[in-house]
Amino acid sequence: MDKKNLTIGILFIVAAFATLLVGSRLQPPPAPAPVATTPASAPAANPADPVAPALAAAPAAPNTAFAALTTSRADAQTSVLANEFVAVRLTDFGGAIQDVAFKKYPATQGSPESFLFNERHAAPLLAVGELSGLGQDTRYELVSASASEVVYRTLFEKRLEVTRRFSLPHATDPKADPYRIRHETTLRNLTDATIPLPRLVLELGTSSLTGANDTGLYLNVASYDGKDSEVTDRNAFDPSFFARFGAGDPNPKTQLEQTRPIVWAAVKNQFFAAIYTPEKPGQSVAIRRVELPPLPGSSRTDVGITAAARFDQPSLAPGASQTHTGLLYVGPKEYTRLARSDEFKQREDKVMQFDRYFFNRIFLSGLVAPILNKLMVGTHSWVGNWGVAIILMTILLKLISVPFTLAASKSAKRMAKLAEPMKAIKEKYKDNPKKLNEATLNLFKEHKVNPAGGCIPILITIPLFIGFFAMLQGTAELRFQDFLWAPDLSGPDTIWRVPGLGLPLNIMPLLMGATMIVQMRITPQPTTMEGPQVLMMKLMPILFTLFCYNFAAALALYSTVNGLFTIGQQLLVNKYVKDEPLTPPPAPAPRGGKAVKNVTPTKK
């Protein structure tokens, strides 16, 4: 390998890590369809029935890049549904959910105030959209309000009665999740004519960044059609990358749409989500982004995202009524909760996005990450500390991989013994690469050495690392959980910033990098590695440290403990595992094909 190949190899490594870091930001959404600005056509009514004029849809949204941010009406009357986990505040404007407070999750670290989902929004949750006279500007009559149910009612043009019902289960109800709200919207025709109905559009809420450490990587809208999920990030609205070079539309997109059967749709950020699962699938989800005021203590613009689910409706016969029913989960992204198939029957756990990206899928994160999450949560229930749970979980995983690591260590030590024969072969066939490869393979075959034997622990470690990374990014349980000097395991463990520059000093990733360097130095290296390859291996800890520097401290803690265990294990292997002699090559057979008998006299 010459210097040119070395340079190319290093560039590929840097590019790979850069792809992992920012690839999700540049990845376009899966073929969004253009948004229709007219309501879906309703099914034709029976020609024998008199037909009333169709309900008028709301005017199309103005052609702006951001959805309008609305504030709560000062004269609104609110009602509250609450249990031990949430406080759901409803407003009579729109007869919908204004916001939801999570009692188990603080707004900021150390704050007594609960985190509010949909606090800053384009519309209340489950407000009727795109239908003039029934949306968030319409005041509904409060029919009844109890500790478990709130009912609203309004009349539209004296032709249509709209009743909206919201109920919240008690926290002790074993058959229902305490974060899940049951919703019903009933439409009743008060006329003697059939009313063609436009599509029913329900707002899914507005989500934004959760704090200064949130990069917006998981701020998006997702939907599930019964087979696959589709995700639209907020940066999908940005102009095309090629627009910078004069190709493509330079203007930001104003609205995107996921047109597919909607088994459920979700608006979410890094740790929390609103997931609406209708009784009957919808037809599409319309998505817009929302420009919000900067977060407290930050000058960076907070760009959120909002969405609405659309449902086709049949014509309504005279005096008839129809009810749209659905379940709205508004709560933390806790995999162990969302994976309960008895309550969440439509794979709502896919909102965690464990295997969204290509590198997640090739390393089986969809299988590994759920196992790691359950293991971490189960360990925490035993020890009561998330940092300790991560350490114990890491040690358990390392103990499981010990047999593979020992086999790899033995293989590496056997490979080291071939240094001199390998050197001789390289010198003999330095001008004939084909003969060099053949002689090298024969050498390995003669001595029964597998050059790939040392790769087994790496092949096991990489899926675990990628799965752990995917699992940590949206695990609400780690939010604001401190350990040692790290104030928040879900963010970087910054203890100091360079004055004037703001560059952070994160200790845990530096410890991780140090363990990788030590581990590399004490592990026998394959004899096939040359100078440039050795240099690349030496650069790996530095590149890996830079890659993980601003990620969650929990990830660096896992990698550091993993490295310390590996160092201790390798020291024991180097000291106590006996070297196995190389298998000698078989003696060459005589020309006659018969083995030569050993007639050397025995020494007395």
Side-chain angles (χ1 to χ4, degrees):
M1 180 182 293
D2 54 20
K3 292 184 178 180
K4 179 181 178 180
N5 290 336
L6 170 63
T7 303
I8 294 175
I10 293 175
L11 290 177
F12 270 118
I13 293 175
V14 174
F17 283 116
T19 301
L20 291 178
L21 182 60
V22 301
S24 59
R25 295 177 177 270
L26 301 178
Q27 184 176 0
V35 170
T37 56
T38 58
S41 58
N46 189 331
D49 295 333
V51 180
L55 300 181
N63 187 25
T64 57
F66 291 90
L69 183 65
T70 62
T71 56
S72 302
R73 299 283 293 263
D75 57 339
Q77 295 182 0
T78 59
S79 302
V80 177
L81 296 174
N83 56 31
E84 296 178 10
F85 291 82
V86 295
V88 181
R89 184 165 55 167
L90 299 102
T91 173
D92 59 347
F93 277 96
I97 300 170
Q98 182 168 304
D99 51 48
V100 180
F102 304 143
K103 296 182 179 181
K104 305 292 185 180
Y105 291 89
T108 56
Q109 193 161 17
S111 170
E113 299 180 0
S114 300
F115 183 89
L116 274 180
F117 192 93
N118 208 50
E119 178 181 13
R120 303 176 295 175
H121 56 255
L125 281 155
L126 297 185
V128 177
E130 300 183 17
L131 194 57
S132 179
L134 291 177
Q136 59 181 309
D137 295 325
T138 300
R139 191 160 202 165
Y140 283 63
E141 172 194 358
L142 178 64
V143 177
S144 63
S146 66
S148 59
E149 184 180 80
V150 173
V151 181
Y152 292 104
R153 175 183 175 273
T154 192
L155 293 180
F156 179 77
E157 297 180 351
K158 298 181 180 180
R159 295 191 292 149
L160 191 70
E161 179 188 58
V162 181
T163 304
R164 315 205 73 204
R165 189 183 306 271
F166 303 87
S167 58
L168 181 71
H170 193 273
T172 58
D173 187 349
K175 298 181 180 180
D177 189 272
Y179 287 101
R180 217 170 191 194
I181 306 156
R182 182 174 177 82
H183 157 255
E184 293 179 2
T185 293
T186 301
L187 308 175
R188 185 164 69 94
N189 186 354
L190 302 179
T191 71
D192 296 328
T194 298
I195 299 179
L197 296 176
R199 60 192 173 197
L200 176 65
V201 180
L202 298 179
E203 301 287 348
L204 302 178
T206 303
S207 188
S208 60
L209 301 177
T210 59
N213 292 327
D214 189 354
T215 62
L217 187 65
Y218 289 82
L219 180 59
N220 52 50
V221 172
S223 64
Y224 180 66
D225 64 0
K227 295 181 180 179
D228 301 304
S229 57
E230 182 177 341
V231 179
T232 300
D233 295 302
R234 60 175 182 171
N235 62 359
F237 296 88
D238 297 337
S240 168
F241 173 78
F242 297 102
R244 303 176 185 178
F245 308 99
D249 187 359
N251 300 314
K253 301 176 182 68
T254 60
Q255 194 162 301
L256 297 172
E257 187 167 348
Q258 297 176 0
T259 304
R260 64 214 301 264
I262 305 299
V263 175
W264 58 255
V267 175
K268 56 197 178 74
N269 54 36
Q270 184 177 9
F271 299 113
F272 307 106
I275 311 171
Y276 186 64
T277 308
E279 187 175 70
K280 297 180 180 179
Q283 281 65 52
S284 66
V285 176
I287 308 158
R288 299 195 73 191
R289 61 179 181 176
V290 184
E291 187 172 13
L292 302 168
L295 293 169
S298 172
S299 59
R300 184 178 59 177
T301 302
D302 183 4
V303 177
I305 196 165
T306 188
R310 292 165 167 166
F311 304 88
D312 288 344
Q313 300 183 98
S315 296
L316 201 55
S321 64
Q322 63 181 30
T323 300
H324 171 90
T325 303
L327 294 169
L328 176 68
Y329 174 88
V330 190
K333 290 159 63 178
E334 298 175 357
Y335 174 75
T336 52
R337 178 184 299 278
L338 296 173
R340 286 166 38 200
S341 58
D342 56 333
E343 171 64 21
F344 298 95
K345 301 177 181 180
Q346 301 295 342
R347 292 304 310 272
E348 284 87 352
D349 61 298
K350 281 186 170 291
V351 81
M352 301 297 296
Q353 291 184 220
F354 288 149
D355 59 352
R356 176 185 175 188
Y357 301 111
F358 175 72
F359 69 89
N360 292 131
R361 291 191 289 272
I362 62 175
F363 289 113
L364 305 177
S365 293
L367 297 175
V368 176
I371 296 173
L372 294 179
N373 184 279
K374 289 183 177 181
L375 181 59
M376 183 180 70
V377 173
T379 307
H380 172 264
S381 65
W382 177 48
V383 299
N385 182 282
W386 287 106
V388 175
I390 291 172
I391 292 174
L392 293 179
M393 182 188 72
T394 306
I395 293 174
L396 177 60
L397 292 174
K398 289 298 294 182
L399 289 174
I400 294 174
S401 66
V402 162
F404 304 102
T405 307
L406 288 177
S409 298
K410 292 179 180 180
S411 178
K413 295 184 75 173
R414 290 167 62 84
M415 280 289 295
K417 291 184 176 183
L418 295 179
E420 290 302 321
M422 280 294 302
K423 185 177 179 180
I425 290 175
K426 290 178 181 179
E427 182 65 26
K428 182 177 181 180
Y429 300 108
K430 60 182 179 181
D431 298 325
N432 192 334
K434 183 178 180 181
K435 288 288 186 180
L436 175 60
N437 290 335
E438 290 178 355
T440 301
L441 292 176
N442 288 333
L443 180 66
F444 292 153
K445 185 177 180 180
E446 289 173 358
H447 294 283
K448 296 183 179 180
V449 173
N450 182 6
C455 299
I456 296 177
I458 297 177
L459 294 176
I460 295 174
T461 302
I462 290 179
L464 292 176
F465 180 87
I466 298 296
F468 203 81
F469 170 78
M471 180 265 289
L472 287 178
Q473 300 311 299
T475 301
E477 292 95 331
L478 291 180
R479 183 173 178 262
F480 297 155
Q481 298 298 323
D482 63 323
F483 182 69
L484 299 178
W485 60 84
D488 181 3
L489 284 171
S490 68
D493 61 325
T494 303
I495 62 171
W496 182 70
R497 291 184 180 272
V498 178
L501 298 177
L503 297 176
L505 175 61
N506 303 333
I507 300 298
M508 204 72 76
L510 298 178
L511 292 177
M512 180 192 70
T515 59
M516 291 181 67
I517 293 173
V518 174
Q519 180 181 342
M520 189 174 298
R521 290 192 174 186
I522 65 174
T523 303
Q525 301 298 324
T527 57
T528 54
M529 290 183 58
E530 298 177 349
Q533 293 172 306
V534 173
L535 178 59
M536 289 178 62
M537 292 296 293
K538 289 181 178 179
L539 289 176
M540 287 293 292
I542 299 175
L543 294 174
F544 214 72
T545 300
L546 292 176
F547 170 65
C548 298
Y549 194 71
N550 284 316
F551 286 159
L555 183 66
L557 176 62
Y558 160 78
S559 299
T560 301
V561 174
N562 181 81
L564 291 173
F565 189 98
T566 304
I567 289 171
Q569 180 178 265
Q570 189 62 49
L571 290 174
L572 292 175
V573 168
N574 293 345
K575 185 175 182 179
Y576 294 108
V577 174
K578 295 182 180 180
D579 293 342
E580 296 183 6
L582 292 174
T583 303
R591 293 181 180 179
K594 296 182 181 180
V596 178
K597 184 177 180 180
N598 186 0
V599 294
T600 304
T602 306
K603 293 183 179 180
K604 295 183 180 180

